Amino acid sequence: NATRWNLFMDGTAQNYLAGNLGLFVTTPTNALSFGGNAARIAWMERHTTADTAGNNLSVQAGGATVGATNKNAGSLVLQSGISTGTGTGTIIFQTAPAAGSGTADNAVATALTLNGDKSATFAAGLTAAGTATCTGIFTPISGTTITAAGVQAIKLGSGTVPGIYVGSGSPNGATTAAKGSLYLRSDGTGAADRAYINTDAGTAWTA
């Protein structure tokens, strides 16, 4: 065979490697390490059977021992690279949106970016079938409204973090919220009853 291979395994038996495996690096730090002097891509090749959809690629964390009692599964951690100083790291999710009918490849586009400042950037036109929750940042309304204290709300956090509430009627004595929360009254008639600020982390509001 004119093709020269540094490593070629043609059998179907299982293989065992005790140490770390390095690709483009001679001193791998982890079980599988890529050299860091260039961008790398780990992927599946395209299906070679004519007129066939692509196959799934699953990445799965470890499970608890078979038969274990009330034991957690391992967490799946997606982590950006390490930054320094004022630099940040992001995690980018990309998908292949549909285009016109035909055989041309559809361009892959970024749908969601998790930014280094712990915020999230959604692609324009992205919709969600329900409510998405970002713990510690905000709970956006997307298609399905969020109800808090009986009214529609955007919760900016939990506990003492203020939120934004929208409803009819006065919130005084009726809507409990964190101190500093804003209540927008849909049936208000003027400056005196259009907007309220919570003053006691309870049901007291000032218009």
Side-chain angles (χ1 to χ4, degrees), residues 154-157 161-165 177-178 180-183 205:
I154 298 176
K155 298 298 292 297
L156 303 179
V161 180
I164 302 174
Y165 297 75
S181 293
L182 174 65
Y183 182 98
W205 297 77

Side-chain angles (χ1 to χ4, degrees), residues 5-104:
W5 306 89
N6 292 319
L7 178 64
F8 181 83
M9 299 179 185
D10 194 30
T12 58
Q14 295 184 0
N15 300 289
Y16 173 76
L17 180 66
N20 294 337
L21 176 62
L23 301 177
F24 311 103
V25 61
T26 57
T27 54
T29 303
N30 293 301
L32 176 60
S33 293
F34 293 90
N37 291 340
R40 313 291 184 191
I41 298 176
W43 78 335
M44 286 178 62
E45 296 294 339
R46 297 180 71 159
H47 210 304
T48 58
T49 302
D51 203 23
T52 305
N55 286 308
N56 296 334
L57 173 63
S58 298
V59 179
Q60 181 175 319
T65 306
V66 175
T69 302
N70 303 327
K71 297 299 184 288
N72 294 334
S75 297
L76 179 62
V77 180
L78 299 178
Q79 179 178 305
S80 73
I82 298 172
S83 62
T84 62
T86 58
T88 64
T90 60
I91 299 177
I92 300 172
F93 294 87
Q94 295 185 322
T95 59
S101 177
T103 60

